[in-house]
Each structure stands twice: as C-alpha cells, then as structure tokens.
Amino acid sequence: MVRPLKPTDLYRLEYAADIALAPDEGSFVCTIAWPDDATDEIRSRLWRKALDDEAEPTLLLDGHRDTHPVFSPDGSQLAFLRADVASPAHAAVLDLGSSAVTVFDSIPDAAVDVQWLDDEHLVVVAPRRPPEQEGVDDDELARRPRVITALDYRFNARNWIHDRQRNIAIIDLATGGVGWLTSTSLDLRSLDCTGAAPAPDGTSILAILPDDDHEFSGATSVWLLSAAGGDAARLTEPGGSWSAVGWTRDGRPFATGHCEAAITSFDQPHLLDPAGVEGPERIGTDDVNCTALLGGSAGPVAIDGALLLPGIRGGTITIDRYDLATGTTTVVAPVRGMAGAFTASADGRLLLATVSTPTRPAEVWDCSVMVDGEPASVVLGLNHDLLAELDLVEPQVVTITSHGPGDDTTEVEAFLLHPPASAPSTGERRPGLLYVHGGPMSIYGLNFFDEFQLAAAAGYVVIGANPRGSDGYGIVFGRAVIGDMGGPDWLDVSAVADHLAALDTVDATRIGMGGGSYGGFMTSWAIGHTDRFAAALVERCVSNWETFAGTSDIGPWFGRRYGGATVESDVESLRRQSPITYAANNSTPTLILHSEQDWRCPPEQAEQLFAAYRRAGVDTTFVRFPGENHELSRSGKPRHRVERFVLIHDFFARHLGGGRFEL
C-alpha cells in the first residue's frame, strides 16, 4: 500500500547531477547526491555507466563529496572535485587505468571548478589568499579584524570574500605544482573570477572578471588570457553581465549573458571576436533565457556547428540547439520536466541529460530520441524502491486570467496539486496553500519539488504561481515588475488566490500563503494588503529595499535593477515598494524563517518584519537557523531541512487544519 511523502524520506532520495560523456562516447560518469542522515551533510559519489549494454552502473569513486567529473582529452583520466568531512573541495584526478586517486590540496580554500588545459595540466578556479595570510591558521585569521575597502566584501554561501578573490590556478600533474595565472596587463589577483574555459589548444583561457564599478553595478566582462601569462584582451565592452564562457568545436570563443547589466534581461549566447575588435555577436532570436538557474549544473555544450543550451519555457527547462551558421534555435529535448546538466557527442546525435519530473527526482535520460516529450530510454534510474512506496502527485497546469486597470488582462500560469488519496482527512473541503517562488526571475514548473509534494501529503490543495516577473514567458513579462514591485505581480497573485478559493475542493476560509526570497517578499506584501489569508509563511525575505541596498551581497545593484531606483535617487519609491512600509496593516498569523548566514537577504530583513508584526500585536513566530545561508531549503544541512518542514507544517496545522509531521 502506498503512503504519503514525509520529511525524513529526504534522507533516502538520490539525485543525478553533473554528467560527463567519455571521449570514446561509450560510457558516461555522473554525480549522484543524497542528504546523509549519519553525517548531516549532502554527500555525493561518482558512478560510471556503459551505453552499449544493460549492465548496472558501477561505483567509480566513494569519497565524502565527489562532484564535477571531467574526462581528460585522451580519456585516460578523470578530473573531479573532492571535499571531505573536515576539508573544502580540492581538485583531484582519477587514473582510469590504475584507479589511483591524486588529490591536489595545496590550495587551502574550496575550489569551485576544474577543467583540463591539456592531458598534463588542470585549470582550477579557487579563492586565493593574499601573501600575508600564507601559513596563517584559520583560527588566527578568524580572530583578526577584517579590513574592507569595497562593497562586494561577502557573498552568500562563500561568506567573507574581501581578502580572497577566486583566481585561476594551473596544476602540473607530474609535479603537483600550482601556478596562479598572471597577466602583464591585469592584476588578476585582485579580480574575482566567476567563470573560466581553456581553449582547445591549451594556449589561452577565457575568464569572466568584474568591471571596475562591479561593486555598484554587478557588471562583468569576458577576457582572453594567455595560459603562459602576457597581455589580456577584453572581448566584451564594460557594463555587461556574463554567466558562462566556452569554445565552439572549431575554436571560436563564446559567452552567455547580455551586454547591459543595468537592466534585467535574459542571457543569450554570443560569439566573441578573439581579437577584441568586433563586439559580441548574438546567436538566436528566441525570447528565451539560456541560463537555467533551476537546472543544476546546466551549461553550454559545444557540438559540431552548434551550441546546446538550457532554455526556460514556461514550467519546463528544455535543451535548445543554437545553429552557428543560421542563428536559428531548435528545441531538441522538449521534455515534460526540467533538464539539468547534459552532455553530448561531438556530432550531437547522442544527448544525455539529467531530468527531473514532478514525481521523480533527477535521473539520466537518453534524449537523443524523444517520443511525445519522453525519452527513448532512461539510462540511469534512481529511487525505485522508495518511489514504489510513495503516493506522489502529478500537478495540473492551469492558466488564470489576471485583471488590471481597464481592459488590461494577463494570462498567468500556475501548478495545482490535490492531496493524494493516502493523505490525512482535513475536512470535506480541504485547506489551501498558495506559494510564490524566489527570484523574481525564476519559475515553478514540472520538476520534483519536495515543498509541494509534502504540502499535498499533509492534506492541502497546493498552487504554485508564476506571476509577472517570472522567467519562462518572455522578457516583457519578466520586466513587468521593474519599478513597481508589488504592483502587477500582486494582481497576478491575487488572481491565483481567487482561483484557489473558488475550487469546490477548497475551504476558502482556510487558505495560507508562503514563499522564500522574492516569495517571502510577496507573502509579506500580501499580508500587508489583505486579510484574506489565514496563515502566512515568510521565508528568507526581502522586506525593506532601502536597507537591503546596504546589507545584501547584491544590494548595491539588485534593488536598482528591480526597484528602478536607488536610495540616493528616489528613496520614497523604494519605500513604496517595501513590505515593511505596510507591516502595521498585518493581522495574519505569521511564521518567519531565516538563516543566520544569509547574505543574499540578510537576517535584518526578517528582524524588521518580526519587530513590526509584534508591535502590531500579530501572532508571529520567528525561527532562525544557525550555520545556514540563503540556500537552506535546497542545500542546507539535512536535519535542518527536515526540521524546517516539521516547523512549517506544525504552524500551518494550528492555523489551517492540515496534517503534521514528526521528526
């Protein structure tokens, strides 16, 4: 007999992540991750699977956390990142012939990327400490006062970065020696690298580096660096925003991003002039974002004559083919789900991807042949025993008309889940939960989402809204909230709430609302403007754009991009768009969740709301998670994630009558 999902099932769920196709195209290596109860960590291992037989995958590496597999050009070695219980991620190499593993641990801080320069050298992106810190232990460094001279001095999940910029290191496999990349025309040591890609011939490296005014604008540029040192060439004009770099199969540099960081826009692929004379040449014309933030490690893959990139289209993440000769864009894997990382053969005929659907966490699909949106085969399935026990729910995609002033109407997509048959009884009409995602340029969609599945398992009718400002519906839709946060998006959320309340399965007097980050903003906005909700979950929120500008890691420029103003230019506009301005109007019982090390939406954003709600006499509970950052609900400590669900559903049970969960 099947049963509802429960929070402790998270410990048993496995997810496919990074994927790498062997150069001979006969096998692939994949990262499989899971929340581990014993160590209270997210662990991961590397598995290998042959493509020409029915053999089971074999465990290739069994480290504490092994990720980012990359085959050497000759296919004899596998580079990866390895993190142990008490040490950060280091570059490592597995000799596929002897099974010997070499870990290069002379760089003390966590590496974030590893690639091959050639068969004998690795390119590693990692923080680099200043000379005066070399040989100083971490306890002493933590004791010392921090001397800060720029606004971009800390970053969510990285913590303090003012004295350790991410640089590019080249590791010699024969000697283990580490040489940090230098340039005669740039002080690379002072520039935080957010992306790198070695050229196929190993002579140069593309790098994404901050502009001079990055602390105020968030702007970046793409540079071509010599692998041997020497002059650097800027390949994009200052003022852009770039997310990834790479090389086409015939050796041309490219980057994904856009040329104007000052405005919210979609990332698109651009061919670059290696001489830096001509400006970036955009490929493709579709109004689709090619940087899928929800797609795990999804990134560009070069094949003969084209680039493969993720595409956010409504509630799906597709794999799109950008033809380099014609500039046309074709959807090659229109999966009913969300593609994550993917890899392909040189000719593009073999395409493997990690894909998540509403009732299955990410697995590896062979997307070379698709039939009615489904793969010809699932080459690496996961969680079979657990999923056979669970009564999971397929969401219904609904389109709701949002009405604005006059004849203005907007079609809004949402995802509706009814409780499974095994869920506890919560009355003849069920309580309802309305969720809004983060971003705002993000989406809810057709992937496995534990938040929705657990809420349905607790007996709620759940609806997830993609209001204006969301990704996936064109740039006009995405930009609609700029300078008017809480305007058109609130109209859309209200329309979704009306739809939920009108369902004959829902008790309209028992509807709650919740969301995190931008969803926390929208929830706190809602309860400052209506008393229709019986309970509210405000998580990792933005509540005050004025203080956010000075405390968030992205505050100096993000508020301007979305609020359309700065504290100096129009503070009243920012206050008008801030939920804290309307906090005294709230009468809805509220649960506020926040993480102590959240530098994206700092704890002061929640503290202000909590104080205001308490002064207004509102039934408010404030929960703070130690040691966690903005990503608690996705990649936090497993026990904290389970405890979070228990707290949320205890709160909703008291105010809405849904089911509770036990630890």
Side-chain angles (χ1 to χ4, degrees), residues 292-360:
L293 298 180
L294 295 178
S297 55
V301 172
I303 60 174
D304 293 339
L307 298 176
L308 298 179
L309 291 153
I312 303 179
R313 301 172 183 275
T316 65
I317 297 178
T318 60
I319 302 172
D320 299 345
R321 183 183 189 275
Y322 288 77
D323 190 282
L324 297 176
T326 65
T328 56
T329 307
T330 307
V331 177
V332 296
V335 297
R336 188 182 184 276
M338 289 190 177
F342 50 87
T343 186
S345 59
D347 60 10
R349 293 182 181 179
L350 174 61
L351 175 60
L352 304 175
T354 63
V355 179
S356 171
T357 66
T359 57
R360 300 196 73 88

XYZ file of all heavy atoms in Angstrom, residues 292-360:
472
model
N 19.689 28.576 -17.005
C 18.628 27.965 -16.213
C 19.089 27.831 -14.767
O 19.800 26.901 -14.411
C 18.248 26.609 -16.794
N 18.675 28.771 -13.930
C 19.111 28.763 -12.537
C 18.615 27.535 -11.793
O 19.216 27.105 -10.812
C 18.628 30.031 -11.832
C 19.171 31.347 -12.397
C 18.613 32.526 -11.618
C 20.695 31.370 -12.351
N 17.506 26.964 -12.239
C 16.967 25.778 -11.569
C 17.504 24.496 -12.174
O 17.126 23.416 -11.766
C 15.434 25.778 -11.656
C 14.723 26.907 -10.919
C 13.224 26.807 -11.139
C 15.028 26.848 -9.443
N 18.376 24.619 -13.161
C 18.835 23.443 -13.878
C 20.094 22.817 -13.336
O 20.813 22.161 -14.073
N 20.384 23.018 -12.067
C 21.583 22.428 -11.501
C 22.820 22.965 -12.188
O 23.051 24.164 -12.243
N 23.637 22.077 -12.730
C 24.865 22.499 -13.394
C 24.670 22.628 -14.891
O 25.617 22.495 -15.661
C 25.980 21.495 -13.085
O 25.573 20.180 -13.438
N 23.454 22.869 -15.350
C 23.202 23.042 -16.774
C 24.056 24.167 -17.316
O 24.117 25.251 -16.747
C 21.720 23.334 -17.020
N 24.713 23.920 -18.427
C 25.557 24.931 -19.037
C 25.741 24.626 -20.501
O 25.235 23.624 -21.023
N 26.461 25.479 -21.223
C 26.601 25.283 -22.664
C 27.437 24.058 -23.006
O 28.429 23.748 -22.333
C 27.282 26.576 -23.119
C 27.977 27.104 -21.905
C 27.127 26.699 -20.744
N 27.051 23.367 -24.075
C 27.800 22.232 -24.615
C 27.994 22.491 -26.104
O 27.019 22.724 -26.830
C 27.060 20.901 -24.395
C 27.757 19.763 -25.125
C 26.948 20.590 -22.903
N 29.229 22.469 -26.560
C 29.521 22.707 -27.972
C 29.484 21.394 -28.744
O 30.085 20.396 -28.332
C 30.884 23.375 -28.111
N 28.778 21.382 -29.863
C 28.778 20.259 -30.791
C 29.126 20.805 -32.178
O 29.272 22.019 -32.352
C 27.412 19.532 -30.819
C 26.295 20.495 -31.260
C 27.094 18.925 -29.464
C 24.948 19.815 -31.459
N 29.274 19.936 -33.158
C 29.647 20.385 -34.491
C 28.626 21.379 -35.025
O 27.437 21.052 -35.174
C 29.737 19.189 -35.442
C 30.880 18.248 -35.087
O 31.812 18.696 -34.396
O 30.840 17.070 -35.502
N 29.052 22.599 -35.290
C 28.205 23.597 -35.921
C 27.143 24.216 -35.050
O 26.300 24.969 -35.551
N 27.159 23.942 -33.730
C 26.071 24.445 -32.889
C 26.478 24.461 -31.428
O 27.498 23.887 -31.028
C 24.815 23.590 -33.083
N 25.653 25.119 -30.634
C 25.756 25.090 -29.182
C 24.462 24.533 -28.622
O 23.369 24.848 -29.122
C 25.987 26.490 -28.615
C 27.250 27.225 -29.026
C 27.240 28.637 -28.439
C 28.491 26.474 -28.580
N 24.563 23.721 -27.593
C 23.402 23.247 -26.851
C 23.337 24.019 -25.543
O 24.330 24.114 -24.810
C 23.491 21.746 -26.566
C 23.536 20.819 -27.779
C 23.638 19.366 -27.324
C 22.324 21.014 -28.674
N 22.156 24.568 -25.253
C 21.980 25.390 -24.058
C 20.632 25.090 -23.430
O 19.679 24.695 -24.128
C 22.038 26.876 -24.429
C 23.405 27.398 -24.869
C 23.256 28.587 -25.788
C 24.214 27.785 -23.646
N 20.515 25.288 -22.108
C 19.193 25.143 -21.490
C 18.284 26.289 -21.914
O 18.753 27.383 -22.257
C 19.494 25.202 -19.991
C 20.772 25.975 -19.894
C 21.551 25.642 -21.125
N 16.993 26.052 -21.902
C 16.018 27.095 -22.218
C 14.836 27.019 -21.274
O 14.236 25.949 -21.111
N 14.512 28.135 -20.626
C 13.364 28.154 -19.716
C 12.127 28.519 -20.517
O 12.028 29.617 -21.060
C 13.583 29.151 -18.567
C 14.866 28.803 -17.797
C 12.392 29.159 -17.617
C 15.186 29.726 -16.655
N 11.209 27.598 -20.590
C 9.989 27.768 -21.389
C 8.801 27.384 -20.523
O 8.509 26.204 -20.348
C 10.051 26.906 -22.650
C 11.232 27.230 -23.557
C 11.367 26.237 -24.702
N 12.542 26.531 -25.514
C 12.565 27.408 -26.515
N 11.467 28.062 -26.837
N 13.678 27.615 -27.197
N 8.125 28.402 -19.970
C 7.020 28.111 -19.073
C 7.512 27.298 -17.897
O 8.501 27.630 -17.258
N 6.854 26.189 -17.623
C 7.220 25.358 -16.484
C 8.187 24.252 -16.822
O 8.285 23.271 -16.076
N 8.914 24.377 -17.949
C 9.887 23.363 -18.323
C 11.247 24.001 -18.545
O 11.371 25.204 -18.768
C 9.472 22.624 -19.615
O 9.474 23.559 -20.706
C 8.090 22.016 -19.484
N 12.279 23.191 -18.474
C 13.608 23.591 -18.924
C 14.003 22.624 -20.025
O 14.189 21.428 -19.793
C 14.644 23.576 -17.790
C 14.265 24.602 -16.721
C 16.032 23.896 -18.334
C 15.206 24.631 -15.533
N 14.075 23.155 -21.238
C 14.386 22.345 -22.407
C 15.888 22.389 -22.685
O 16.645 23.116 -22.049
C 13.622 22.866 -23.630
O 14.012 24.236 -23.861
C 12.127 22.815 -23.399
N 16.306 21.613 -23.667
C 17.653 21.712 -24.223
C 17.494 22.236 -25.642
O 16.784 21.635 -26.460
C 18.381 20.355 -24.211
C 18.465 19.819 -22.778
C 19.769 20.483 -24.821
C 18.993 18.399 -22.685
N 18.129 23.363 -25.923
C 17.946 24.053 -27.195
C 19.232 24.009 -28.007
O 20.336 24.149 -27.465
C 17.549 25.511 -26.967
C 16.230 25.647 -26.201
O 15.501 24.640 -26.098
O 15.943 26.752 -25.716
N 19.063 23.873 -29.324
C 20.203 23.864 -30.246
C 20.271 25.199 -30.969
O 19.329 25.600 -31.664
C 20.052 22.731 -31.259
C 21.222 22.581 -32.230
C 20.931 21.480 -33.248
N 22.108 21.182 -34.058
C 22.456 21.844 -35.154
N 21.709 22.874 -35.563
N 23.538 21.490 -35.833
N 21.389 25.911 -30.785
C 21.628 27.183 -31.451
C 22.585 26.930 -32.618
O 23.770 26.636 -32.416
C 22.241 28.200 -30.490
C 21.281 28.733 -29.452
C 20.941 27.970 -28.338
C 20.722 29.996 -29.574
C 20.060 28.457 -27.377
C 19.843 30.500 -28.618
C 19.521 29.719 -27.522
O 18.653 30.207 -26.568
N 22.084 27.040 -33.840
C 22.882 26.797 -35.033
C 23.824 27.974 -35.270
O 23.380 29.126 -35.384
C 21.973 26.578 -36.240
C 22.732 26.097 -37.453
O 23.376 26.944 -38.112
O 22.687 24.896 -37.752
N 25.124 27.725 -35.383
C 26.097 28.803 -35.510
C 26.072 29.454 -36.886
O 26.427 30.625 -37.025
C 27.503 28.266 -35.218
C 27.729 27.733 -33.805
C 29.126 27.150 -33.669
C 27.509 28.821 -32.772
N 25.657 28.722 -37.900
C 25.648 29.270 -39.253
C 24.404 30.101 -39.530
O 24.481 31.181 -40.120
C 25.757 28.133 -40.271
N 23.257 29.624 -39.083
C 21.993 30.305 -39.408
C 21.459 31.149 -38.264
O 20.603 32.012 -38.469
C 20.926 29.273 -39.793
O 20.626 28.454 -38.649
C 21.410 28.390 -40.935
N 21.928 30.893 -37.036
C 21.415 31.622 -35.882
C 20.063 31.148 -35.410
O 19.471 31.740 -34.497
N 19.542 30.075 -36.000
C 18.229 29.572 -35.607
C 18.323 28.747 -34.331
O 19.368 28.177 -34.002
C 17.610 28.710 -36.721
O 18.523 27.650 -37.039
C 17.345 29.547 -37.958
N 17.207 28.697 -33.617
C 17.130 27.955 -32.367
C 16.100 26.845 -32.495
O 14.974 27.091 -32.952
C 16.736 28.879 -31.205
O 17.615 29.998 -31.174
C 16.804 28.151 -29.885
N 16.474 25.632 -32.098
C 15.577 24.481 -32.171
C 15.544 23.787 -30.816
O 16.601 23.555 -30.205
C 16.059 23.473 -33.233
O 16.244 24.142 -34.475
C 15.045 22.350 -33.402
N 14.361 23.464 -30.356
C 14.229 22.672 -29.131
C 14.492 21.216 -29.483
O 13.771 20.635 -30.291
C 12.835 22.845 -28.505
C 12.698 21.956 -27.274
C 12.581 24.298 -28.141
N 15.527 20.631 -28.896
C 15.874 19.248 -29.235
C 15.396 18.253 -28.192
O 15.344 17.060 -28.454
C 17.399 19.102 -29.445
C 17.845 19.915 -30.642
C 18.174 19.509 -28.213
N 15.076 18.729 -27.015
C 14.574 17.825 -25.972
C 13.412 18.504 -25.262
O 13.575 19.065 -24.179
C 15.669 17.457 -24.993
N 12.223 18.462 -25.868
C 11.048 19.109 -25.243
C 10.446 18.232 -24.163
O 9.309 17.771 -24.259
C 10.098 19.266 -26.432
C 10.434 18.108 -27.317
C 11.910 17.849 -27.146
N 11.236 18.013 -23.115
C 10.803 17.102 -22.071
C 9.687 17.719 -21.242
O 9.621 18.934 -21.071
C 11.977 16.732 -21.151
C 13.047 15.985 -21.923
C 12.574 17.967 -20.506
N 8.804 16.870 -20.749
C 7.836 17.321 -19.755
C 8.518 17.204 -18.411
O 8.367 16.239 -17.682
C 6.562 16.483 -19.797
C 5.460 17.049 -18.897
C 4.219 16.181 -18.899
N 3.151 16.796 -18.109
C 3.031 16.687 -16.784
N 3.914 15.989 -16.106
N 2.039 17.290 -16.148
N 9.301 18.191 -18.100
C 10.102 18.172 -16.893
C 11.143 19.260 -16.991
O 11.009 20.198 -17.768
N 12.204 19.133 -16.219
C 13.269 20.126 -16.234
C 14.599 19.435 -16.450
O 15.000 18.577 -15.667
C 13.298 20.911 -14.927
C 12.137 21.870 -14.765
S 12.393 22.951 -13.341
C 10.931 24.003 -13.469
N 15.270 19.810 -17.549
C 16.607 19.303 -17.816
C 17.597 20.008 -16.909
O 17.502 21.215 -16.675
C 16.965 19.529 -19.281
N 18.540 19.257 -16.401
C 19.618 19.823 -15.617
C 20.895 19.788 -16.424
O 20.963 20.297 -17.534
N 21.945 19.159 -15.889
C 23.189 19.044 -16.627
C 22.994 18.125 -17.828
O 22.172 17.200 -17.797
C 24.277 18.493 -15.713
N 23.745 18.383 -18.898
C 23.668 17.498 -20.053
C 25.014 17.430 -20.751
O 25.891 18.272 -20.556
C 22.563 17.925 -21.029
C 22.581 19.377 -21.428
C 23.339 19.824 -22.493
C 21.810 20.302 -20.738
C 23.348 21.155 -22.857
C 21.804 21.643 -21.098
C 22.587 22.077 -22.168
N 25.185 16.396 -21.563
C 26.413 16.169 -22.304
C 26.034 15.557 -23.642
O 24.970 14.944 -23.776
C 27.368 15.251 -21.513
O 28.616 15.156 -22.188
C 26.783 13.852 -21.340
N 26.896 15.731 -24.649
C 26.552 15.268 -25.990
C 27.790 14.812 -26.734
O 28.919 15.232 -26.430
C 25.857 16.384 -26.766
N 27.578 13.947 -27.728
C 28.658 13.559 -28.628
C 29.021 14.735 -29.520
O 28.262 15.707 -29.642
C 28.231 12.357 -29.475
O 27.067 12.683 -30.237
N 30.167 14.655 -30.167
C 30.638 15.760 -31.000
C 29.654 16.099 -32.102
O 29.447 17.273 -32.435
C 32.007 15.424 -31.588
N 29.003 15.078 -32.678
C 28.055 15.340 -33.761
C 26.647 15.640 -33.256
O 25.746 15.922 -34.051
C 28.018 14.172 -34.755
C 27.596 12.846 -34.108
O 27.144 12.850 -32.937
O 27.739 11.802 -34.770
N 26.445 15.577 -31.957
C 25.146 15.905 -31.381
C 24.118 14.804 -31.461
O 22.984 14.976 -30.987
N 24.468 13.660 -32.039
C 23.472 12.593 -32.185
C 23.181 11.879 -30.869
O 22.103 11.318 -30.687
C 23.955 11.586 -33.236
C 24.010 12.168 -34.644
C 24.434 11.127 -35.660
N 24.506 11.706 -36.996
C 24.866 11.027 -38.086
N 25.196 9.740 -37.975
N 24.907 11.626 -39.254
N 24.134 11.885 -29.961
C 23.933 11.311 -28.630
C 23.806 12.457 -27.640
O 24.697 13.305 -27.546
C 25.107 10.410 -28.252
C 25.099 9.838 -26.824
C 23.876 8.966 -26.596
C 26.383 9.051 -26.551
N 22.705 12.490 -26.920
C 22.446 13.556 -25.953
C 21.939 12.933 -24.664
O 20.879 12.300 -24.638
C 21.414 14.542 -26.515
C 20.938 15.658 -25.572
C 22.100 16.532 -25.127
C 19.864 16.505 -26.248
N 22.703 13.084 -23.601
C 22.328 12.581 -22.283
C 22.088 13.760 -21.364
O 22.828 14.744 -21.388
C 23.437 11.706 -21.701
C 23.902 10.512 -22.533
C 25.091 9.840 -21.856
C 22.770 9.511 -22.741
N 21.054 13.660 -20.530
C 20.722 14.779 -19.645
C 20.173 14.258 -18.334
O 19.526 13.202 -18.279
C 19.699 15.701 -20.311
N 20.431 15.001 -17.270
C 19.731 14.741 -16.021
C 18.401 15.487 -16.091
O 18.364 16.672 -16.430
C 20.545 15.213 -14.803
O 20.725 16.623 -14.863
C 21.900 14.539 -14.773
N 17.325 14.777 -15.809
C 15.984 15.343 -15.945
C 15.151 14.991 -14.718
O 15.149 13.849 -14.255
C 15.274 14.817 -17.215
C 13.862 15.390 -17.322
C 16.072 15.178 -18.467
N 14.467 16.000 -14.204
C 13.554 15.814 -13.081
C 12.127 16.011 -13.565
O 11.850 16.911 -14.368
C 13.871 16.821 -11.978
O 12.887 16.799 -10.963
N 11.212 15.164 -13.101
C 9.782 15.310 -13.379
C 9.052 15.478 -12.048
O 9.642 15.278 -10.988
C 9.237 14.084 -14.136
O 9.317 12.937 -13.281
C 10.022 13.827 -15.419
N 7.769 15.831 -12.062
C 7.077 16.076 -10.788
C 7.104 14.917 -9.803
O 7.045 15.140 -8.594
C 5.651 16.397 -11.240
C 5.820 17.013 -12.590
C 6.927 16.223 -13.224
N 7.193 13.695 -10.306
C 7.147 12.548 -9.398
C 8.450 11.757 -9.371
O 8.507 10.681 -8.791
C 5.995 11.599 -9.774
O 6.149 11.190 -11.138
C 4.650 12.296 -9.601
N 9.509 12.291 -9.998
C 10.804 11.606 -9.974
C 11.924 12.631 -9.869
O 12.050 13.512 -10.716
C 11.009 10.749 -11.232
C 9.966 9.657 -11.415
C 10.420 8.621 -12.423
N 11.462 7.758 -11.887
C 11.229 6.629 -11.209
N 9.998 6.240 -10.976
N 12.234 5.894 -10.769
